[in-house]
Amino acid sequence: MPERRIPVAAEADVVVVGAGPGGFAAALQAARMDCSVVLIEKYDMPGGVHTSGLQGSAGPGVGGIHTELMQRFADAGYIYTFSEKTHPGWAGNPLSHYERLMKPGTEFTRQSFNPDGAGSLMARMLDEAGVTCFYGASFLDAIVKTAPKNQTGNQGRIDAVIIETASGKQAVKGKVFVDGTGTAELVARSGAPFVRGGGGQPTGAKWDGVNRPIPGGLLWIMDGIDFQRLRKHQQDAKDPVLAKVIAEATAAKDIPPGLYRPRMAGENVYGGLYIGHPTIDMSPMLRDGTYILWQNVPYEWALHMDDSAEDASKAKRELRGFIDAEAGFLRKYVPGFENATIQHVGRYLGIRDGRHPVGEYVFSLKDAQKQTHFADAVTQPMTKTFFWDGYAKHTFEVPYRSFLPKKIDNLLLTGASMSFTYEVIFMVMRNFPWCTQTGEIAGTAAARAVKQGIPPKRLEWTQPYF
Ligand SMILES: Cc1cc2nc3c(=O)[nH]c(=O)nc-3n(C[C@H](O)[C@H](O)[C@H](O)COP(=O)(O)OP(=O)(O)OC[C@H]3O[C@@H](n4cnc5c(N)ncnc54)[C@H](O)[C@@H]3O)c2cc1C
């Protein structure tokens, strides 16, 4: 066989793989700090789970690029706001994804952004900053060489990544790389260490000892829903979780086994959380009468969608089937859904518990509980509620070393691919605002390293960024 050479499609100071909130903000920030930047994204727009995956949850800006994004989404008319006034009976409704634990009648305000509009706007922001974006481009592999001894010792250094595009296999060379894949795929392909998803359950919950990843989910949107009619049925038929209509459809063999179970069924998989049991779970989205619905992978299936082709394919196939069956059931059996239609199914089946890189520092729940102080803190002490230990509030710092995977000296972590233990990442540190912040920090670190002519691992981080 003659040797085949892979053409170099581009070369840049900073190469970012994956354009979720983390990769997007990293690329934007590095470009704004005058680096040449290439961004590689599998789908047709940035935003990851929040755009291609339809998540779209919005909220007040937390500073930096996140605040800018929220403002630009609002200016473009892409933010939808709903409240107990617009949706009477939503607070405390057991079908509500976010508001179900509230006391009925509680006043609240929630916002979401239009995923497709937001994705296009984010793409425009990258263009404005001069980022070269390869969309429809799959990252396949990393070419790793040994780093010069005088720089970081026995570390490897990524020279290029191999991608697959409409032009075939191509290479992209760079000085600094950022893993924005959400599942630490670049970490894995470059030989840096990671822990596989599926670490277990929160302390205190019943657990049979089998390691199953926290299930991922496929989100979809239905429009034409009459919530007040649905609510009337819940009240009049005394059927708050729709158990009666589910039983009726099950008896008529109109829904496949396992499609629904009563919410959490008393066998809570993740404490009081919603994940793990397919159930009717929805939230207003885009405009009145339109709702996003969650279709989570059943917990028992124990799918590793990030590293098993079979599991990834099974999840996509089965969840699409569930959505089809759920839409049919809702329209036929549930008052308020008679005229509802499927409007959109996410392109992206989100993974909540993929690979967790082992970095120069692995941030754990203990660090939050003990308020560990870090000389290389990237943020001022921030306060967040950790769900893992019983909804407890902690004030904590995060070190720059959690952005640095072991073994590779020119790779930075961001978003859901940080060097955190899985309970930290799942329960607290993977939401849209924080992932955008970590991207901005990674982009800043990349640009500083390029300017100083050193790998990110040698960069000294002495001042919090946020
Ligand atoms: C089902 C679900 C529901 C969630 N609900 C909420 C919520 O309500 N609120 C909230 O704030 N957060 C929520 N999250 C969490 C949040 O969406 C994620 O943690 C966050 O999007 C992670 O950001 P990221 O940038 O690390 O990666 P992602 O958003 O996962 O983006 C990764 C990007 O990398 C690309 N990519 C991956 N592999 C490759 C490859 N090989 N080649 C090219 N491109 C690649 C993907 O296409 C994607 O665009 C949810 C997550 C899931 C899965």
Side-chain angles (χ1 to χ4, degrees), residues 16-25 40-53 55-58 97-98 110 134 136-141 162-164 179-186 189 215-219 274-275 294-296 305 348-353 355 414-418 425-426 428-436 438-439:
V16 181
V17 179
F24 161 80
I40 294 148
E41 169 54 45
K42 205 190 295 192
Y43 295 109
D44 55 351
M45 60 178 166
V49 173
H50 287 266
T51 57
S52 305
Q55 214 301 317
S57 140
H97 181 76
Y98 297 109
R110 182 167 293 281
F134 284 79
S138 284
F139 157 74
L140 301 179
D141 212 345
I162 308 298
I163 60 173
E164 176 103 50
D179 190 335
T181 61
T183 54
E185 201 172 323
L186 178 51
R189 304 283 172 254
L218 182 60
L219 304 183
Y274 55 89
I275 293 164
W294 275 251
Q295 192 54 253
N296 284 314
M305 297 181 290
Y348 191 70
L349 202 166
I351 294 178
R352 291 188 172 93
D353 189 11
R355 305 173 193 93
T414 181
S417 304
M418 297 283 301
I425 200 99
F426 172 59
V428 198
M429 307 298 282
R430 67 177 184 102
N431 60 16
F432 181 79
W434 168 246
C435 287
T436 311
T438 61

Side-chain angles (χ1 to χ4, degrees), residues 149-333:
K149 275 264 180 314
N150 59 352
Q151 291 219 326
T152 45
N154 293 325
Q155 301 264 320
R157 183 167 295 178
I158 302 174
D159 185 47
V161 289
I162 308 298
I163 60 173
E164 176 103 50
T165 66
S167 310
K169 279 203 183 83
Q170 297 183 302
V172 178
K173 288 171 72 84
K175 293 177 185 155
V176 174
F177 291 78
V178 179
D179 190 335
T181 61
T183 54
E185 201 172 323
L186 178 51
V187 164
R189 304 283 172 254
S190 60
F194 61 88
V195 175
R196 203 178 183 217
Q201 288 207 311
T203 329
K206 250 199 246 168
W207 183 40
D208 61 6
V210 179
N211 279 356
R212 302 177 177 90
I214 294 158
L218 182 60
L219 304 183
W220 58 295
I221 295 176
M222 256 193 140
D223 58 12
I225 297 170
D226 182 344
F227 172 63
Q228 290 312 319
R229 199 167 141 64
L230 165 64
R231 185 184 167 211
K232 189 167 177 328
H233 163 79
Q234 290 176 295
Q235 287 169 338
D236 293 353
K238 299 204 173 21
D239 193 11
V241 295
L242 306 183
K244 289 182 184 169
V245 271
I246 290 172
E248 198 188 325
T250 307
K253 297 204 170 23
D254 251 356
I255 51 175
L259 175 58
Y260 293 126
R261 269 158 291 157
R263 194 183 277 281
M264 304 323 294
E267 292 284 325
N268 292 357
V269 178
Y270 290 100
L273 289 157
Y274 55 89
I275 293 164
H277 286 179
T279 187
I280 297 170
D281 192 4
M282 49 198 265
S283 187
M285 180 96 180
L286 298 175
R287 61 176 169 266
D288 297 350
T290 303
Y291 289 73
I292 188 162
L293 289 98
W294 275 251
Q295 192 54 253
N296 284 314
V297 172
Y299 172 71
E300 314 78 89
W301 290 3
L303 299 186
H304 290 268
M305 297 181 290
D306 58 332
D307 63 11
S308 157
E310 202 183 311
D311 285 5
S313 173
K314 175 174 175 174
K316 289 190 171 112
R317 188 182 64 240
E318 300 290 337
L319 293 193
R320 275 244 164 209
F322 274 7
I323 288 171
D324 181 41
E326 181 165 351
F329 157 74
L330 291 169
R331 284 164 57 91
K332 184 167 172 186
Y333 286 89

